[in-house]
Each structure stands twice: as structure tokens, then as C-alpha cells.
């Protein structure tokens, strides 16, 4: 990726713009499945029998995808629940799933979906238009108290508001036209609507199971997160049914009544190893068939052992979060000094897999809206010291939160990354107080909610191919993570999501990215390459930049 263009402190931004246009599906001919999506050979009538064990970096934060935004939760729920539309493994575009076709009307404000016949939820109840509306209306009607308990809900980030602020919401309503026909109405055009529906958060749950599991009553706790009884036993239409969840693993079994290809795997065990070396050793010992989040330290060892490594295209961004609810961080010069203190090149070389790109914005390179010549202040510790001295910073202590005992695709070794960033900030004059938090002790909720976190490490893994998936959830409104308030940027993000694909929309996202960069609400550091390691038993694994990896597509040696 070309080097970024220097940006003057507090100055105006000018940049040459580059765009890659995405195509939305609005009733046009549906894409033909790519060769990588071909079904496994037909299995005996007894169904799949293989057991597949996958090493994960952490326990899920809950298994109700509507209320979490956690990689490990989504990894499990993608197997159990399905949405109206799926994701093409090659293009990232929407493909038929529970809906076989769809049509856009009313200038993009209404979508009608033809539903797949004969599908049942894993509890035996029928999937139909009424069940789709039950799910959409549930998400729309999440009360403020529930949203506070579960800040990982995706509905607000996509549709902007819930029923208590209906006039601000893009979602208008759901109508069951017939058992196999459902219409979703929007208050305004939303160009990324179909792509957004591919999010695991919009998987359709059994209304009966949600009622029996009091899905909106978060009276239990897992990994520091408040969850419902339903979130410990999800029920969908997917190829795998939930079988169990204990302190070390989640177990799924093949759904004998699944409408589609059941693949080879009859039992999946997602086993947690919270240290990278433990995952590596488990693979070498034959205890697991694969694991995610290969670290730099593991990479060479895997190569020497001749293990398979599959790399995903970058579709996440790692950043240093800055909370403007902390008074001193409301000062732009202080935030700019933070940016100039960070040596992104060193961080990437030390802690990320080769070909990880330096980030100067939050939209990754493959999306329209990515600016190939993005403005950045660059690494300049001398200027950072000078700016800090001029800013009025008097050595105020900044609490720096970072997670322990976890690996994320965007954050492979958080403790080491924290140590390097803390060293760099201290070197230019910042007073840093480390606040290590176990991931399982609610780290995500602590840094995404209003609190005393001044700085924190986190990242965002994209889930669908639209720039709104990155800038909308992070910077589309004021939130507890950044305390960022820019009405002009909020308004432009809202306008951009309603524009049709084309140069005007692309240019507007360039402007949005530039304005975000100028105000430094957070510092983007890297677009990481993430990788999986697999045993020799695996012939094929459906690696996906958006992590849409359903295990019916895993092929194993006989």
C-alpha cells in the first residue's frame, strides 16, 4: 500500500482519492456460486459422522448474536443461525440463504423477500414470514435498559435507532405478506441494507425458543457479560444444533433436518486455549484440527513443522481508542501528540504477520471510500513532545486499558502491543497508568461503555462489504467508547448510507474519513493479516475475510 501523505497539525486536508465500487443486489440475477462454494460429495443417509475440533482464543461472550459483537460468539452462531441472505465467499456480495430471492421497491425503501419452503427451526417449529417479523420487531424494540446491559448490539449501528426514537430509525416495519413472503420497510434508502443483513447479528432465531429462554432478560453472566438463558442455548435453522457449553468448550451437532448440504462434520467442538502457544501445541499434539489467530511467534514454528497456514485478506482495523469524556483528551493537540508518538511501522513489524498494512484511516483498502493517499500526521516524537508542551498538558494521568489472555484477529498479542505503545507515549511525556483487564472479566463492555478509560486497545473486524460497516458503528453517533461528538460527521455518515453506489457516495466517504482523521477520535494503526493453522487432516477450509466460515464447507481426508 502506498505511503500515506503527511497531514499538517490542525490544518486542512487535501488528498487524491481512489475508489473500488461495490455492486448491490436488488432483484437482479443472483450470483453463481464460486467453485470454492461447491458442496461436499453426497453423504450416506446416516448423515455426517466426523468430529472436528477447533481451537479458539476465548470463550464466547454469549450466543445470542443480536446482543454481542464478539468474534468467538459469531464463529459459533454462524453455524446455528442463518439470516435471510448469505455471503458469497469470493465477492462478499449477498447470496440466497433463508430467502431465495428479493426485490427492491419504493426507491430502495422497501424489500420483499421470497422465503425458502419447508425450513424448520431446530426445535421443530416452522420458519416463516411471521418468525422473521418476530425477530426484526424484537431488535427494533430493544429497550434502553437492555441496550445498556448489552452494548454489543448491532441493530443500532446499522439502523441508527430503536423504537424509543422511531423518527430517527432507518427501520420502519416488517410485514408477513404470506407464510413464504415478507416485506421489510425502511424510512429512507439504505444502500448497504442487503449487505448488512449478512451480519450474524441478523440471524433468525426460533420465536418459541426466545420466549422460553426469556431472551430479553439478561439475568445470567458469562465471561463478564450479562446474558439471557436463551443466549446459553440458541436455536436457529442452521446446519448445526447447539449441544452444550461448559468452561472449556462449546459443542454443536449436525442438524438432522437441515434443508441444505450437511457436509462431513457431525460434531464440532470449539475448545478454548487463551494462550497462543497453547493453541500451537494442541495442534502439534493432534488435540485440535485447526485454530485461528496465528501470531507472529507461532508462524515460523508452524512453517518449520510443515503445518498448513491459510491467510485471510485484511478486513479489520486495529486502533488505539481515545476517550474524549476525559477532560484533557478533549484537547485536539493532545490527541494529535498521541498520534505522532506512535511508531506504526515498528508495531506492525514486531507483532503482525507479513503484509499487514499500516492504517491511516478506518476503512480497509478493498472498500470504496478507502483513500489511497490518506492524510496522517506520521511518526514524529520530537514534534509530539513540542505539541504536548504547547497543549497545556500538565502530566495528567491517563488510564490505559488493555486486555489479558486473549487473541483477536486484529490484536494478536495485546500485552506486548500495550507495552510498546505505552513506552512510545511515555517517551514523549505522557503519564500512563496501565489498567490490565482480563478479557473474560468484561473488557469489551468496560472500554465500550462510559467510564474512566482514557486510552484502550481494540479493533473492528468488518462483517460486510460496505464502508458504513466501519465508520457507522464506530463514529456514526456519540458512544461510550470515544465520547466523540461531531454533528457534521454524524450527518455525513447518515447521508452517505442512503446514496446509491457511485462517485458521489465514494467521495463523501473520502470526506468522512478525512474529517475523522483530522479530529483524531482514535488512532488507526494497522489493517492486519489474520491467519488460521490447520492439521494435515483438513483438505479445504472456507477462509473468509468477513469470517463467514460455516463448517459444512470444511473438507476432511477420508
Amino acid at each position: 500500500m502506498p505511503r500515506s501523505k503527511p497531514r499538517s497539525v490542525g490544518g486542512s486536508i487535501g488528498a487524491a482519492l481512489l475508489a473500488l465500487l461495490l455492486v448491490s443486489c436488488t432483484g437482479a440475477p443472483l450470483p453463481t456460486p464460486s467453485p470454492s462454494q461447491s458442496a461436499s460429495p453426497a453423504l450416506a443417509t446416516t448423515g455426517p459422522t466426523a468430529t472436528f475440533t477447533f481451537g479458539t482464543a476465548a470463550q464466547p461472550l454469549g450466543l445470542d448474536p443480536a446482543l454481542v459483537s464478539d468474534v468467538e460468539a459469531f464463529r459459533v452462531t454462524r453455524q446455528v443461525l442463518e439470516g435471510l441472505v448469505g455471503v458469497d465467499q469470493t465477492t462478499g456480495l449477498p447470496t440466497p440463504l433463508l430467502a431465495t430471492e428479493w426485490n427492491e421497491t419504493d426507491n430502495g425503501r422497501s424489500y420483499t423477500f421470497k422465503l425458502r419452503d419447508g425450513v424448520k427451526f431446530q426445535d421443530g417449529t416452522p420458519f416463516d414470514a411471521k418468525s422473521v417479523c418476530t425477530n426484526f420487531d424484537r431488535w427494533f424494540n430493544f429497550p434502553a435498559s437492555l441496550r445498556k446491559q448489552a452494548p454489543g448490539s448491532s441493530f443500532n449501528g446499522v439502523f441508527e435507532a430503536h423504537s424509543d426514537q422511531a423518527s430517527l430509525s432507518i427501520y420502519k416495519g416488517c410485514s408477513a405478506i404470506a407464510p413464504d413472503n415478507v416485506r421489510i420497510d425502511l424510512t429512507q434508502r439504505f444502500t448497504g441494507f442487503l449487505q448488512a443483513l449478512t451480519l450474524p447479528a441478523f440471524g433468525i432465531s426460533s420465536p418459541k425458543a426466545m420466549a422460553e429462554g426469556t431472551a430479553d432478560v439478561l439475568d445470567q453472566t458469562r465471561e463478564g457479560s450479562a446474558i439471557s438463558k436463551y443466549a446459553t442455548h440458541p436455536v436457529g435453522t442452521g446446519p448445526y444444533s447447539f449441544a452444550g457449553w461448559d468452561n472449556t468448550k462449546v459443542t454443536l451437532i449436525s442438524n438432522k433436518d437441515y434443508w441444505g448440504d450437511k457436509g462431513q462434520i457431525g460434531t464440532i467442538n470449539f475448545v478454548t486455549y487463551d494462550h497462543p502457544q497453547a493453541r500451537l501445541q494442541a495442534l502439534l499434539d493432534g488435540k485440535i484440527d485447526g485454530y485461528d489467530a496465528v501470531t507472529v511467534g507461532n508462524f515460523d514454528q508452524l512453517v518449520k513443522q510443515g503445518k498448513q497456514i491459510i491467510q485471510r485478506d485484511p478486513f479489520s482495523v486495529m486502533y488505539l481508542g481515545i476517550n474524549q469524556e476525559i477532560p484533557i483528551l478533549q484537547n485536539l493537540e493532545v490527541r494529535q501528540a498521541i498520534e505522532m508518538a506512535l511508531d506504526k511501522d515498528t508495531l506492525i513489524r514486531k507483532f503482525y504477520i507479513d503484509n499487514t498494512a499500516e492504517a491511516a484511516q478506518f476503512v480497509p483498502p478493498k472498500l470504496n471510500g478507502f483513500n489511497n493517499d490518506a492524510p496522517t500526521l506520521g511518526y514524529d516524537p520530537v514534534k509530539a513532545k513540542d505539541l504536548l508542551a504547547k497543549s497545556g498538558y500538565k502530566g495528567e494521568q491517563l488510564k490505559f486499558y488493555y486486555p489479558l489472555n486473549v487473541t483477536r484477529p486484529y490484536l494478536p498479542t495485546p500485552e506486548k502491543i500495550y507495552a510498546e505503545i505505552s513506552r512510545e507515549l511515555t517517551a514523549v511525556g505522557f503519564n500512563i497508568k496501565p489498567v490490565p483487564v482480563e478479557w473474560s472479566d468484561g473488557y469489551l463492555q468496560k472500554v465500550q461503555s462510559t467510564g474512566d478509560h482514557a486510552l484502550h486497545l481494540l479493533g473492528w473486524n468488518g462483517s460486510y462489504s460496505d464502508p458504513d460497516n466501519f465508520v457507522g458503528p464506530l463514529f456514526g453517533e456519540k458512544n461510550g467508547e470515544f465520547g466523540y461528538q461531531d454533528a457534521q460527521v454524524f450527518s455525513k455518515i447518515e447521508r452517505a448510507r442512503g446514496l446509491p453506489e457511485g462517485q458521489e457516495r465514494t467521495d463523501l466517504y473520502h470526506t468522512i474519513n478525512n474529517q475523522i482523521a483530522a479530529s483524531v477520535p482514535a488512532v488507526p494503526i494497522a489493517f492486519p493479516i489474520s491467519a488460521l493453522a490447520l492439521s494435515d487432516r483438513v483438505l479445504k477450509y472456507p477462509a473468509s475475510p468477513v469470517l463467514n466460515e460455516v463448517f459444512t464447507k470444511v473438507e476432511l481426508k477420508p
Side-chain angles (χ1 to χ4, degrees), residues 4 76 118 121 148 157 211 249 277 288 295 390 451 453 518:
S4 298
V76 175
F121 290 104
K148 186 176 181 180
K249 70 179 184 297
Q277 193 64 31
I288 59 176
T295 63
K390 296 174 184 176
H453 52 93

Side-chain angles (χ1 to χ4, degrees), residues 534-555:
L534 301 169
S535 74
D536 296 339
R537 182 185 179 215
V538 181
L539 290 174
K540 186 176 180 182
Y541 183 94
S544 161
V546 298
L547 307 183
N548 181 42
E549 297 165 357
V550 179
F551 284 22
T552 52
K553 294 182 172 63
V554 173
E555 294 183 15

